[in-house]
């Protein structure tokens, strides 16, 4: 079992108390209906719990990521259509296109025609854009991302040192739109903003499952919206070689099942990303995770073969032969060809999970190791990396690799991507290497947005010296491909990636989890409106699963379920590349909005003494709805071919509803509680928690708190 495999095996909008008096532009109208559809049980249960924070006047802060500095003024700029835009500094196609896209989005959001006069004098401009320099032709890691945005009552001024900052400022302006007094406004604010880290990445593994170009393009739109700026494109895996090579066409012809990106598609992605302020760093994983290269070119491998596209996930023995010169001749030509497509200064060579077995099994390679004083496979990998580095240098590329490349002898200009644990970040920076942190940002682990959000690339207690801190370039979110398809990838990436994007951009002190969730749900609605499908996709999948007779209760159940962890799914289902990814486990989303909403409701309810009657009534209603859902849904699921395997969860939802009702009853009348109720109830919940089905309840922890509080209220009496 691979180390990665081992470690991977190993709200909803809190509305105003009185409903939704503050409506958030795009989010505004949709908040109501999306929550209703997404989580009907919760709409009744918790919609009147909590109050959204407001920062002066009418402004409701739904910005994500939070800017580094924000001052709220009084008043607002009214959006009345035909926004006049003028450029008082340099401006170019990149900026023109970004403004045209933003105007299109304003138009979508407000229903008003927005295109203003393309050029105008500053005196007439409602939106004045003042940029000092164009962006670099090839976006560099050191380019200035900063901008300032001042919204007054009759004009908006966006200033930036270069186009990139202006692009970020436009995204902030898009997030500022709010409904007010029957119209739309930009609330008057003054923002001065810059990122905390310069490398804010998202990696997508398109090797294990291919993702079509439109999926990649809409993902880039989402990345730009939350100010992520590096798309790390994992293009080769044991399960597929996805990049077209004209020099070595058997790579894609024999190694991809016909699912690969043509050179013109890869160029299109690079161009689309560049227009949105995003660098594209391609990854060609070697010497391991490389079976798909050998299907067409077995002479590169260290073992005899034959090779076929691997269907099974995990770590395989197949590895390139680092001891023969012909390997480097091939790689030189291949990397040269790819360097012509990917202009970024960085190229990723993978380097992870090479187990050395094929090397040790090959007498010629063992002899090479002996002759060159290499005691173990890791020493041979250092040799391979040094040879690769020379090739990358020839094509003016810096090398990036997963943290296995961090071994004595690694040249200092390699960048290490830390994924296994934080030690490699520490060790790498102690030794003077630039680092990118990924370990806490593995989306396939199915952890909550909160867990990812609170993991900081530079925690306050890291003990890093200033020099070490400077070596941490930033972080990268990882979306590995075992369990994602074009239909499910959005709901695995979003909205959690938006919370992590805030970690990479905003000041370290921005860590209020409740506030993050409040804004995350609004941002999720915006992203879905932009064309991502993390809300609409799961709804569609549920409809398909339930068929034409699908009751609305199926959505209620789905809203409190989430997929089990990566490792649990892998072992329960024995997934491989051909496993269909269209079951209930694929339709439910990690960290569903209902989880945090329910946790907050329980917390608020327990924090008030005597209990707020509205809060209590809302919870009682919610638990009642769980029981009703269960009684209607279970027979339906039992007779539904695609849902029968999950029917136990419907029945358990009813049990959880009953547990909730009992907890509230005993909190109100502790004397009536049977002596071992708490113990027995927690044991029942532990049994429900057991991950023997592919989906688990996301709401067990807050319910446990309620049960424990009910138990404690009785012992208090004794
Ligand atoms: C990895 O997860 N193998 C980098």
């Amino acid at each position: 079992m691979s180390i990665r495999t081992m470690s991977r095996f190993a709200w909803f909008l809190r509305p105003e108390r009185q409903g939704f008096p503050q409506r958030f532009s795009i989010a505004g109208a949709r908040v109501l209906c999306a929550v209703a559809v997404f989580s009907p049980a919760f709409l009744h249960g918790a919609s009147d719990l909590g109050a959204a924070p407001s920062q002066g006047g009418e402004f409701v802060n739904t910005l994500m990521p939070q800017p580094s500095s924000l001052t709220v003024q009084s008043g607002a700029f009214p959006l009345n259509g035909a926004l006049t835009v003028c450029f008082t500094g340099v401006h170019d196609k990149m900026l023109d296109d970004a403004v045209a896209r933003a105007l299109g989005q304003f138009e979508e959001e407000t229903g008003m025609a927005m295109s203003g006069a393309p050029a105008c004098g500053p005196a007439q401009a409602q939106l004045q854009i003042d940029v000092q320099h164009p962006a670099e032709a090839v976006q560099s890691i050191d380019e200035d991302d900063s901008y300032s945005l001042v919204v007054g009552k009759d004009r908006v001024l966006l200033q930036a040192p270069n186009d990139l900052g202006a692009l970020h400022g436009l995204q902030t302006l898009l997030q500022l739109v709010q409904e007010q007094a029957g119209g739309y406004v930009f609330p008057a604010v003054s923002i001065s903003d810059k990122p905390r880290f310069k490398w804010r990445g998202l990696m997508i593994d398109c090797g294990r499952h291919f993702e079509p170009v439109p999926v990649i393009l809409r993902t880039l739109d989402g990345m730009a919206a939350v100010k992520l700026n590096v798309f790390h494109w994992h293009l080769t895996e044991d399960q597929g070689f996805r990049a077209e090579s004209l020099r070595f066409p058997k790579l894609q012809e024999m190694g991809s099942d016909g699912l690969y990106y043509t050179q013109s598609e890869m160029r299109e992605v690079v161009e689309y990303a560049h227009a949105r302020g995003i660098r594209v760093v391609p990854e060609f994983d070697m010497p391991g995770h490389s079976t798909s290269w050998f299907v067409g070119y077995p002479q590169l491998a260290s073992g005899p073969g034959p090779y076929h596209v691997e269907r099974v996930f995990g770590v395989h023995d197949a590895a390139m032969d680092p001891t023969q010169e012909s390997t480097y001749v091939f790689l030189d030509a291949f990397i040269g060809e790819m360097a012509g497509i990917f202009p970024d200064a960085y190229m990723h060579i993978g380097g992870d999970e090479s187990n050395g077995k094929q090397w040790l099994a090959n007498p010629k390679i063992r002899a090479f190791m002996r002759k060159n004083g290499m005691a173990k496979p890791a020493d041979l990998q250092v040799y391979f990396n040094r040879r690769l580095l020379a090739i990358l240098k020839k094509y003016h590329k810096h090398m990036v690799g997963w943290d296995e490349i961090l071994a004595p002898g690694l040249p200092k200009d390699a960048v290490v991507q830390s994924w296994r644990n934080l030690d490699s970040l520490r060790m790498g920076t102690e030794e003077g290497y630039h680092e990118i942190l990924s370990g806490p940002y593995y989306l396939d682990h199915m952890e909550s947005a909160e867990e990812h959000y609170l993991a900081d690339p530079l925690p306050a207690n890291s003990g890093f010296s200033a020099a070490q801190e400077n070596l941490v370039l930033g972080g990268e979110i990882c979306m590995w491909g075992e369990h994602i398809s074009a239909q499910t990838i959005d709901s695995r990436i979003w909205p959690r990636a938006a919370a992590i994007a805030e970690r990479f951009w905003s000041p370290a002190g921005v860590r209020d989890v409740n506030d993050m969730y409040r804004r995350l749900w609004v941002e999720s609605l915006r992203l879905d409106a932009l064309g991502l499908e993390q809300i609409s996709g799961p709804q569609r999948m549920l409809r398909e699963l339930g068929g034409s007779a699908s009751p609305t209760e199926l959505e209620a159940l789905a809203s409190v379920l989430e997929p089990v962890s990566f490792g649990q799914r892998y072992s329960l289902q024995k997934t491989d590349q051909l496993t269909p990814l269209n079951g209930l486990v694929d339709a439910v989303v990690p960290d569903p909005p209902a989880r945090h909403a329910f946790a907050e409701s329980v917390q608020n309810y327990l924090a008030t003494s005597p209990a707020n009657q509205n809060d209590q009534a809302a919870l009682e209603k919610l638990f009642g709805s769980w029981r009703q859902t269960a009684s209607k849904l279970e027979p339906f699921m039992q007779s539904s071919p695609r849902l029968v395997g999950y029917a136990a969860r419907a029945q358990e939802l009813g049990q959880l509803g009953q547990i909730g009702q009992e907890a509230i009853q005993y909190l109100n009348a502790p004397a009536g509680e049977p002596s071992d109720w708490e113990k027995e109830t927690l044991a029942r919940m532990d049994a429900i928690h057991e991950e023997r089905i592919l989906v688990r309840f996301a709401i067990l922890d807050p319910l446990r708190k309620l049960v424990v509080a009910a138990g404690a209220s009785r012992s208090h009496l004794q």
Side-chain angles (χ1 to χ4, degrees), residues 540-588:
R540 189 174 54 238
M541 286 182 81
L542 273 187
R543 284 195 300 274
E544 282 165 13
L545 282 170
S548 58
S550 187
T552 55
E553 283 77 7
L554 184 56
E555 286 174 359
L557 175 66
S559 77
V560 293
L561 293 173
E562 64 181 352
V564 292
S565 67
F566 175 89
Q568 196 62 18
R569 177 168 189 180
Y570 192 91
S571 63
L572 282 172
Q573 206 180 9
K574 307 281 178 283
T575 43
D576 67 20
Q577 193 187 29
L578 304 179
T579 306
L581 298 173
N582 57 7
L584 186 61
V585 58
D586 303 293
V588 298

Side-chain angles (χ1 to χ4, degrees), residues 5-10 442-448 451 482-483 492 496 561-575 585 588-591 649 689-697:
T5 320
M6 247 161 56
S7 71
R8 296 160 80 203
F9 278 40
Y442 268 40
L443 296 176
D444 52 321
H445 284 186
M446 300 294 153
E447 288 165 355
S448 66
E451 284 165 282
E482 284 90 340
H483 296 154
R492 275 52 192 150
R496 292 179 298 161
L561 293 173
E562 64 181 352
V564 292
S565 67
F566 175 89
Q568 196 62 18
R569 177 168 189 180
Y570 192 91
S571 63
L572 282 172
Q573 206 180 9
K574 307 281 178 283
T575 43
V585 58
V588 298
V589 304
D591 196 11
R649 289 299 188 221
H689 178 70
E690 258 179 47
E691 296 188 344
R692 54 193 193 287
I693 300 180
L694 293 174
V695 294
R696 65 187 177 200
F697 284 103

Side-chain angles (χ1 to χ4, degrees), residues 1-63:
M1 189 184 295
S2 71
I3 301 175
R4 184 174 90 233
T5 320
M6 247 161 56
S7 71
R8 296 160 80 203
F9 278 40
W11 294 310
F12 92 166
L13 174 70
R14 197 157 168 245
E16 304 292 305
R17 219 160 240 286
Q18 298 81 21
F20 293 81
Q22 300 271 18
R23 299 174 70 198
F24 311 111
S25 61
I26 192 166
R30 285 187 198 123
V31 163
L32 280 165
C33 61
V35 170
V37 172
F38 199 59
S39 175
F42 271 80
L43 186 66
H44 306 301
S47 63
D48 55 353
L49 294 162
S54 146
Q55 301 190 6
E58 299 288 332
F59 175 60
V60 178
N61 184 343
T62 64
L63 300 177

Side-chain angles (χ1 to χ4, degrees), residues 278-322:
I278 297 169
R279 299 167 36 219
V280 179
V281 175
E283 177 182 347
F284 306 102
D285 204 348
M286 51 191 140
H289 283 294
S290 51
T291 310
S292 63
W293 304 60
F294 307 148
V295 189
Y297 298 93
Q299 64 273 30
L300 289 172
S302 304
Y307 295 96
H308 57 270
V309 171
E310 214 16 283
R311 303 299 173 204
V312 175
F313 302 132
V315 168
H316 297 280
D317 299 345
M320 285 182 191
D321 183 347

